[in-house]
C-alpha cells in the first residue's frame, strides 16, 4: 500500500483579476493505492482540490477518480550521481 499527499496553503492579498481580492487559498492532492503483487504497476484512488474562503473564487473544486502508477525502471541500478535518479521515475495515468 502507498499514500502520497501534497498540500499547500497560502494567503494572497491581491490577484490579477481583482485588486481587492484577499483570501487564503488551499491546494491539495492525494493518492492512496495498493501494490499489485510485486509488479511495477499500481492501482490507486486520487483526489485533487482547491479551497478558498472567498465563495466566488473561480476554482473552488474537488475532483476524484482512479489511476494507474507505473514504475518502468524500478530495478535499474544507477552507476553514478548522474543516473541514480532513474529508478525513481514514475508514470501516472488518471481518470477524474
Amino acid at each position: 500500500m502507498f499514500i502520497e499527499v501534497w498540500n499547500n496553503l497560502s494567503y494572497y492579498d491581491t490577484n490579477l483579476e481583482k485588486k481587492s481580492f484577499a483570501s487564503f487559498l488551499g491546494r491539495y492532492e492525494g493518492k492512496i493505492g495498493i501494490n499489485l503483487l510485486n509488479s511495477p504497476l499500481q492501482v490507486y484512488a486520487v483526489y485533487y482540490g482547491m479551497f478558498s474562503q472567498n465563495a466566488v473564487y473561480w476554482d473552488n473544486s474537488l475532483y476524484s477518480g482512479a489511476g494507474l502508477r507505473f514504475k518502468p525502471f524500478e530495478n535499474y541500478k544507477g552507476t553514478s550521481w548522474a543516473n541514480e535518479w532513474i529508478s525513481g521515475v514514475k508514470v501516472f495515468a488518471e481518470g477524474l
Side-chain angles (χ1 to χ4, degrees):
M1 180 170 189
F2 68 90
I3 298 173
E4 295 180 2
V5 293
W6 175 84
N7 299 292
N8 181 18
L9 180 63
S10 57
Y11 177 79
Y12 293 91
D13 61 0
T14 186
N15 71 7
L16 294 175
E17 299 169 17
K18 186 176 176 186
K19 289 187 184 240
S20 62
F21 179 88
S23 181
F24 284 100
L25 297 177
R27 293 184 175 97
Y28 41 89
E29 80 176 64
K31 296 172 176 51
I32 301 170
I34 58 171
N35 300 326
L36 297 175
L37 302 171
N38 221 1
S39 169
L41 183 66
Q42 299 166 328
V43 178
Y44 61 89
V46 62
Y47 66 89
Y48 292 95
M50 177 176 261
F51 164 78
S52 171
Q53 69 190 82
N54 185 339
V56 297
Y57 189 65
W58 66 274
D59 201 13
N60 283 331
S61 59
L62 178 63
Y63 301 98
S64 62
L68 292 173
R69 180 171 84 166
F70 180 58
K71 299 191 288 186
F73 309 112
E74 183 175 30
N75 295 323
Y76 177 81
K77 302 292 183 215
T79 57
S80 73
W81 64 269
N83 63 8
E84 65 185 9
W85 57 270
I86 292 175
S87 64
V89 170
K90 299 175 190 122
V91 178
F92 296 89
E94 299 175 348
L96 300 177

